[in-house]
Amino acid sequence: MKTIKLLIVLLLTASMLFSLAACGSKNGSDGKTDPNEQSENTDGKGEPEHNPDRESDSGKSDKDTTPDKDSDQKKETEPEKEPEPDKESEEDPENEPETEPEEESEPEKEDADPAPDLSGDYSGSFSSATGTSLDLIVRWAAERESDGSYTVTLAYYIDSYSLEAGGRDSNKLTVTTSSGTSEYYFSSDDIEKNTDEKAETYIGGSSLRLSAEELAAGADASVSWDFRGSYTGVELPTVTASGVIGAY
């Protein structure tokens, strides 16, 4: 058994020695190169020099300058791409001219309440006596109702030249009949009148109910306008007009 193992070891050793001898002889024959040839191929640096004029095995140089027919044909047949139109540049909001906001038109001033219709079965008027060119005029009309009573409508006017006065809420109508005394308050708007001629300005009105007996007997009426000012140098805290409302 030991003899067999020894023979195997010897055979393996001999085989290895034979292989080494074969490799050494091959390397020796390959290593014999012409030093001039080595210099030509490697340029003395151990790296082969690239010669662009040397033709390759296919008969073409490394850089084939012959144009490729396929590529030329492709270029000819491929339509030229039309340039895209320039996109309009978006307007820069910062460069836009600032537009001034439109001025809001002032709302038209509503006309004051129109003077009431003074048509009726009975009518009349009376006025103040301030001693100036400013006076209060009261006009009234009484219209018979189906029950026999009367609706009395009154309208108040300021007769003057140019005048400026603020609105008033404490103007008052006082009516005294055989049945007693009643008070009615009314408001007046601002007055802004600039005229060289004397004219009437409507400032408000009232309405009340009188029986046929009260109207027949006559009702004492007094209207006060809370002026709180002066006119042509005369102080006029209130302007008062007094008269009678009656069926006569």
Side-chain angles (χ1 to χ4, degrees):
M1 189 67 179
K2 291 181 178 180
T3 305
I4 294 172
K5 289 181 178 182
L6 181 60
L7 289 173
I8 291 172
V9 171
L10 291 173
L11 288 172
L12 290 174
T13 303
S15 176
M16 291 176 64
L17 292 174
F18 180 78
S19 296
L20 291 173
C23 289
S25 62
K26 184 177 180 181
N27 291 334
S29 61
D30 293 340
K32 293 179 181 181
T33 58
D34 189 353
N36 294 328
E37 183 180 356
Q38 180 178 0
S39 174
E40 179 182 356
N41 292 336
T42 64
D43 197 18
K45 295 181 180 179
E47 295 180 0
E49 181 182 1
H50 178 69
N51 188 352
D53 297 332
R54 181 177 298 175
E55 294 183 355
S56 61
D57 295 338
S58 61
K60 294 182 180 180
S61 62
D62 292 342
K63 293 184 180 179
D64 191 356
T65 58
T66 304
D68 190 349
K69 293 182 179 180
D70 293 338
S71 62
D72 291 345
Q73 185 177 2
K74 185 176 180 182
K75 288 181 180 180
E76 291 178 359
T77 57
E78 186 176 326
E80 294 182 359
K81 190 174 181 181
E82 296 181 359
E84 295 182 0
D86 295 338
K87 295 182 179 180
E88 295 182 0
S89 59
E90 298 181 357
E91 295 182 358
D92 189 353
E94 295 182 356
N95 296 331
E96 292 182 0
E98 296 182 358
T99 57
E100 297 181 358
E102 296 182 358
E103 294 182 359
E104 296 182 359
S105 58
E106 296 182 358
E108 295 182 0
K109 187 176 182 181
E110 296 182 358
D111 295 336
D113 294 336
D117 181 12
L118 295 179
S119 62
D121 298 297
Y122 302 96
S123 63
S125 66
F126 50 89
S127 65
S128 64
T130 61
T132 70
S133 55
L134 182 151
D135 277 303
L136 170 63
I137 298 176
V138 178
R139 294 189 174 93
W140 61 270
E143 184 175 0
R144 184 181 176 85
E145 301 295 340
S146 59
D147 61 356
S149 65
Y150 289 84
T151 298
V152 180
T153 303
L154 300 95
Y156 315 127
Y157 301 84
I158 296 297
D159 186 27
S160 69
Y161 293 98
S162 297
L163 176 65
E164 290 187 6
R168 300 288 186 263
D169 295 325
S170 55
N171 309 304
K172 183 172 62 172
L173 163 66
T174 303
V175 178
T176 301
T177 66
S178 57
S179 302
T181 300
S182 301
E183 293 181 345
Y184 306 87
Y185 289 88
F186 65 94
S187 299
S188 60
D189 295 328
D190 296 345
I191 299 175
E192 293 183 3
K193 181 169 64 174
N194 186 7
T195 177
D196 293 333
E197 296 182 359
K198 199 172 185 181
E200 295 180 2
T201 303
Y202 174 72
I203 62 170
S206 302
S207 179
L208 60 118
R209 183 71 68 91
L210 295 177
S211 66
E213 293 77 15
E214 291 173 336
L215 186 64
D220 294 329
S222 176
V223 180
S224 297
W225 177 48
D226 187 22
F227 180 42
R228 289 179 284 173
S230 63
Y231 200 78
T232 62
V234 179
E235 291 293 331
L236 298 173
T238 60
V239 179
T240 303
S242 300
V244 177
I245 300 173
Y248 50 85

Short mmCIF file of all heavy atoms in Angstrom, two decimals, residues 35 80 85 88 100 158 177 199 206 214:
data_model
loop_
_atom_site.label_atom_id
_atom_site.label_comp_id
_atom_site.label_asym_id
_atom_site.label_seq_id
_atom_site.Cartn_x
_atom_site.Cartn_y
_atom_site.Cartn_z
N PRO A 35 15.13 44.02 -30.62
CA PRO A 35 14.98 45.28 -29.88
C PRO A 35 14.54 46.43 -30.74
O PRO A 35 13.86 47.33 -30.29
CB PRO A 35 16.39 45.52 -29.30
CG PRO A 35 17.30 44.70 -30.14
CD PRO A 35 16.53 43.51 -30.59
N GLU A 80 -36.43 68.79 -42.48
CA GLU A 80 -35.90 69.75 -41.51
C GLU A 80 -36.99 70.15 -40.53
O GLU A 80 -38.13 70.40 -40.92
CB GLU A 80 -35.39 71.00 -42.24
CG GLU A 80 -34.20 70.72 -43.11
CD GLU A 80 -33.69 71.98 -43.76
OE1 GLU A 80 -34.31 73.04 -43.51
OE2 GLU A 80 -32.70 71.93 -44.49
N PRO A 85 -42.42 78.58 -33.22
CA PRO A 85 -42.61 80.05 -33.07
C PRO A 85 -42.34 80.47 -31.65
O PRO A 85 -42.62 79.75 -30.70
CB PRO A 85 -44.09 80.25 -33.44
CG PRO A 85 -44.74 78.91 -33.20
CD PRO A 85 -43.68 77.88 -33.52
N GLU A 88 -45.12 84.05 -27.10
CA GLU A 88 -45.25 85.44 -26.64
C GLU A 88 -44.96 85.51 -25.16
O GLU A 88 -45.50 84.74 -24.38
CB GLU A 88 -46.67 85.94 -26.93
CG GLU A 88 -46.97 86.02 -28.42
CD GLU A 88 -48.37 86.57 -28.65
OE1 GLU A 88 -49.03 86.87 -27.64
OE2 GLU A 88 -48.75 86.72 -29.81
N GLU A 100 -55.55 104.00 -12.74
CA GLU A 100 -56.14 104.69 -11.60
C GLU A 100 -57.58 104.23 -11.41
O GLU A 100 -58.32 104.08 -12.37
CB GLU A 100 -56.12 106.21 -11.83
CG GLU A 100 -54.71 106.77 -11.93
CD GLU A 100 -54.75 108.27 -12.14
OE1 GLU A 100 -55.88 108.81 -12.23
OE2 GLU A 100 -53.68 108.89 -12.18
N ILE A 158 -90.82 128.09 3.44
CA ILE A 158 -90.03 129.24 3.88
C ILE A 158 -89.86 130.15 2.68
O ILE A 158 -89.31 129.75 1.65
CB ILE A 158 -88.65 128.81 4.43
CG1 ILE A 158 -88.82 127.95 5.67
CG2 ILE A 158 -87.80 130.04 4.75
CD1 ILE A 158 -89.48 128.67 6.83
N THR A 177 -109.01 122.99 19.30
CA THR A 177 -110.42 122.97 18.92
C THR A 177 -111.27 122.95 20.18
O THR A 177 -110.74 122.99 21.30
CB THR A 177 -110.74 121.73 18.06
OG1 THR A 177 -110.57 120.55 18.86
CG2 THR A 177 -109.82 121.67 16.85
N ALA A 199 -88.04 133.41 -3.09
CA ALA A 199 -88.72 132.20 -3.53
C ALA A 199 -89.11 131.35 -2.34
O ALA A 199 -88.54 131.48 -1.25
CB ALA A 199 -87.83 131.40 -4.48
N SER A 206 -97.94 118.19 7.44
CA SER A 206 -98.64 117.41 8.47
C SER A 206 -100.02 117.06 7.97
O SER A 206 -100.52 117.63 6.99
CB SER A 206 -98.75 118.20 9.78
OG SER A 206 -97.47 118.58 10.26
N GLU A 214 -115.95 120.62 14.43
CA GLU A 214 -114.71 121.33 14.74
C GLU A 214 -114.29 122.22 13.58
O GLU A 214 -113.82 123.34 13.79
CB GLU A 214 -113.60 120.32 15.07
CG GLU A 214 -113.80 119.59 16.38
CD GLU A 214 -112.79 118.48 16.58
OE1 GLU A 214 -112.23 117.96 15.57
OE2 GLU A 214 -112.54 118.11 17.75
#
